[in-house]
Amino acid sequence: MPENDGKTLLDGKTMLPADGKEILYLSKNTDKRWGSFAAGSGVFTTRGSDFTTGAVTLGADYRVADNFILGAAVGYAHTCAPLHAGGSFTVNSGLISLYATAYNKGFYVDGIVGAGYHSYDTRRASTGGFARGETDGASIHTYLGGGYDCHFGAFTIGAIASLRYTNVAVDGFTEHGSLARYRVTSGSLDALQSAIGLKLAYTWNLGGVIVTPMVRAQWGHEYLDTRGTVNPRDPFTAQGTDIGRDSLLLHAGASVRFSPTVSVFGFYSGDIGRDKYTVHSVNGGVSISF
């Protein structure tokens, strides 16, 4: 098993809460009650090993009142990592989330709650061939964030803060196909991360096409798991790579609104400066209101 088995799911949890979702709220078009979006993302994580995740998310929401939106989203993600001597580690994940946002006079609050199912496949070089293992697990994720926006002409400057919790549980299994097999017990991971910082956006009207570049910088702090030990192996426990608790969260990109109903978005996100742990991701998609 890799040292951070299951930890990639904690990194990938940002996929479903969807960085791009906030783009739907930039225009706050009260003439349209229904909204939908489709987004794809790529996440590149370094934590002892290099993990690569590809994901797609689909969602729809309804404006219950002029300043209140409810929605749901579903997503699929595939994570893979090479292991020593031709081994590999892959995870296939399906997730579902419910979200809500409320805003008034510059203030806004976003909330997300969801769950996921994950299947794991491992291939580890061992005595007498490759040891293989298959198992599955579940996760829950919650998010609460908000802020306040100040407008100065075409500029928007805002203070932002959030709290995110994720729990990932993995069932035990016994490897097969090798003379030296591990029996892997069940385990779970908990992550609780706060973020606080500032954002800056500027809106251009280019012949009726609204272009809004945005940058966001936050200090992130992890309160719970920093080792990532899950599925301890009998007769001993495999220790994960201990990582730092504090990091710089960067988010930069733009949305382009072609009409009151159609817009596209693309963003880069980075979790950097954390000891032995780095995440880079790209996210893009389209949103349609009607």
Side-chain angles (χ1 to χ4, degrees):
M1 294 293 289
E3 289 183 336
N4 55 335
D5 39 339
K7 182 62 179 175
T8 293
L9 298 177
L10 300 184
D11 309 328
K13 68 182 180 297
T14 56
M15 177 272 300
L16 194 62
D19 298 333
K21 265 304 295 176
E22 65 182 303
I23 301 306
L24 297 179
Y25 312 134
L26 289 177
S27 63
K28 296 181 176 58
N29 187 343
T30 58
D31 294 332
K32 307 298 180 181
R33 290 291 177 181
W34 285 98
S36 61
F37 74 97
S41 64
V43 183
F44 311 95
T45 305
T46 300
R47 190 186 192 277
S49 301
D50 292 328
F51 286 72
T52 302
T53 301
V56 60
T57 307
L58 303 174
D61 49 56
Y62 181 75
R63 189 180 301 275
V64 179
D66 288 346
N67 297 320
F68 183 63
I69 293 173
L70 289 175
V74 295
Y76 167 78
H78 176 78
T79 298
C80 61
L83 301 180
H84 177 70
S88 63
F89 172 64
T90 61
V91 186
N92 289 289
S93 304
L95 302 100
I96 185 169
S97 290
L98 301 176
Y99 59 87
T101 186
Y103 48 88
N104 186 41
K105 296 180 179 180
F107 291 96
Y108 60 91
V109 176
D110 297 315
I112 300 170
V113 61
Y117 169 81
H118 316 278
S119 65
Y120 301 81
D121 291 282
T122 66
R123 184 174 184 266
R124 182 179 57 84
S126 181
T127 304
F130 283 95
R132 300 175 181 271
E134 301 86 24
T135 189
D136 55 17
S139 66
I140 58 173
H141 56 269
T142 61
Y143 171 90
L144 181 64
Y148 179 77
D149 288 342
C150 298
H151 302 280
F152 303 93
F155 283 97
T156 299
I157 301 175
I160 50 178
S162 64
L163 190 65
R164 186 191 307 270
Y165 170 76
T166 301
N167 172 271
V168 178
V170 183
D171 291 338
F173 66 97
T174 300
E175 291 179 323
H176 58 85
S178 169
L179 298 178
R181 296 174 294 177
Y182 285 129
R183 183 172 70 88
V184 182
T185 63
S186 61
S188 64
L189 293 174
D190 292 281
L192 178 66
Q193 186 184 52
S194 64
I196 185 169
L198 298 172
K199 72 175 182 180
L200 174 66
Y202 185 84
T203 302
W204 276 298
N205 189 335
L206 304 176
V209 177
I210 308 300
V211 181
T212 307
M214 177 171 47
V215 62
R216 184 168 63 197
Q218 299 177 90
W219 165 56
H221 181 77
E222 174 60 52
Y223 296 92
L224 298 178
D225 173 68
T226 59
R227 180 168 292 275
T229 299
V230 69
N231 294 339
R233 300 195 296 244
D234 292 343
F236 61 91
T237 296
Q239 296 297 319
T241 302
D242 200 6
I243 61 176
R245 293 189 179 275
D246 299 291
S247 61
L248 175 62
L249 308 177
L250 295 177
H251 183 76
S255 69
V256 180
R257 185 158 62 93
F258 296 101
S259 71
T261 60
V262 179
S263 65
V264 298
F265 54 88
F267 281 87
Y268 159 81
S269 296
D271 186 337
I272 60 177
R274 195 170 177 180
D275 187 33
K276 301 177 184 177
Y277 179 81
T278 303
V279 180
H280 300 283
S281 64
V282 291
N283 177 284
V286 59
S287 62
I288 301 174
S289 58
F290 51 93

